[in-house]
Amino acid sequence: MITTDFLPGSPCWTDLSSPDVEASAAFYRELFGWQAVEGGPDSAGYRYLLLDGAAVAGLGPFMGESERPAWTVYFADPDVDDTVLTVEHLGGTLVVEPFDVLHRGRMAEFTDPQGGYAGLWQAKAFRGMEAADRPGALCWVELWTPDGDGARDFYAELFKWSYTDFSLPGEAGTYTIVAPAGLGQDRAHGGIMPVDPAQLAATGGAADWHPVFAVENCDAAVERVRSAGGRVYMGPESTPGVGRLALCADVFGAGFVLLAPSPM
């Protein structure tokens, strides 16, 4: 499960880059009931997305011409400046150098050796998500990558994650369950799944970190995606021991997964 104690290397935030913040806010308001709140006069248009008053995600305008609509997952880190050196040493690429986000924290963004885009967050006044692992909030993060072994090696060195492997049906390879360093499956927060690069068309074959949001009823949530102008690429379909899920995209094509988890 994803929790809000934010151990090093665990997901602590996710935000969306959009070409039209108002339209994106309207889409997710219809889907999850999120309310968009301005981040303040110095926030450059950034908004916090609230679920029952708790911050669960962020939303901001494009900051550069090369940006595409996409969700970014951020991982808690006690020393961003030191970690970016490790990223580069391991063959990753620093995309956004460490900088202070006012008094809230310090951040950086990078790609792993397979091109998977992610962020680092060193908390100060703002720790991250105020709610998780409940309907309408982040419950899992997943990396689709053209090189499962390479991704495992990179993140094992970067975050010291604990891994539990499961063989996928046929010759699909191995799905890796990810947990913070030294912890077991009861604290798992994500997965690494090898995929054919042809399945990564939105990123040009590069790896892709995407958020998984919990919902009470996946079929009903899928209908809300469609009615709000989004797309459904897969599902809803049931996976034993996991739940009922669907692969979707919002009105601008930013991808995410909906999951109604199986009862524990």
Side-chain angles (χ1 to χ4, degrees):
M1 67 172 73
I2 289 182
T3 66
T4 56
D5 58 0
F6 305 136
L7 297 174
S10 64
C12 62
W13 189 242
T14 185
D15 64 16
L16 173 67
S17 297
S18 170
D20 185 333
V21 170
E22 295 290 346
S24 292
F27 174 87
Y28 289 99
R29 182 168 57 248
E30 181 169 344
L31 176 57
F32 296 127
W34 290 346
Q35 298 298 313
V37 177
E38 292 283 353
D42 299 320
S43 63
Y46 194 85
R47 301 184 184 189
Y48 292 99
L49 299 170
L50 308 184
L51 176 66
D52 298 330
V56 292
L59 169 63
F62 285 173
M63 302 303 289
E65 293 183 0
S66 62
E67 276 195 82
R68 64 179 181 88
W71 283 96
T72 299
V73 175
Y74 293 83
F75 296 97
D77 193 275
D79 189 340
V80 166
D81 293 82
D82 182 66
T83 299
V84 297
L85 299 178
T86 304
V87 166
E88 294 180 311
H89 174 72
L90 295 172
T93 301
L94 183 59
V95 179
V96 177
E97 294 188 1
F99 71 97
D100 290 325
V101 183
L102 304 175
H103 61 289
R104 297 181 177 91
R106 189 163 176 80
M107 66 167 284
E109 296 177 355
F110 67 93
T111 58
D112 64 31
Q114 292 75 43
Y117 197 101
L120 301 169
W121 181 252
Q122 182 178 340
K124 294 179 182 177
F126 182 73
R127 296 184 64 243
M129 297 173 293
E130 297 171 341
D133 205 41
R134 55 159 289 190
L138 190 71
C139 67
W140 194 252
V141 296
E142 194 166 73
L143 176 67
W144 293 357
T145 177
D147 182 356
D149 290 339
R152 282 168 46 91
D153 292 345
F154 175 83
Y155 289 102
E157 288 294 324
L158 186 65
F159 294 131
K160 313 302 180 188
W161 282 340
S162 295
Y163 291 149
T164 304
D165 291 339
F166 291 92
S167 295
L168 296 171
E171 299 181 359
T174 300
Y175 188 89
T176 300
I177 302 291
V178 175
L183 299 184
Q185 251 189 280
D186 60 323
R187 284 300 306 271
H189 60 243
I192 297 174
M193 184 168 71
V195 300
D196 190 300
Q199 295 179 264
L200 297 165
T203 58
D208 179 33
W209 277 107
H210 56 267
V212 180
F213 297 112
V215 292
E216 290 185 359
N217 185 310
C218 189
D219 295 68
V222 160
E223 289 308 309
R224 293 197 298 275
V225 168
R226 291 191 174 110
S227 67
R231 284 167 279 180
V232 179
Y233 296 118
M234 182 195 74
E237 63 182 38
S238 297
T239 300
V242 176
R244 193 158 174 80
L245 55 84
L247 173 60
C248 305
D250 66 21
V251 68
F252 296 114
F256 57 91
V257 173
L258 300 174
L259 172 65
S262 297
M264 299 299 289

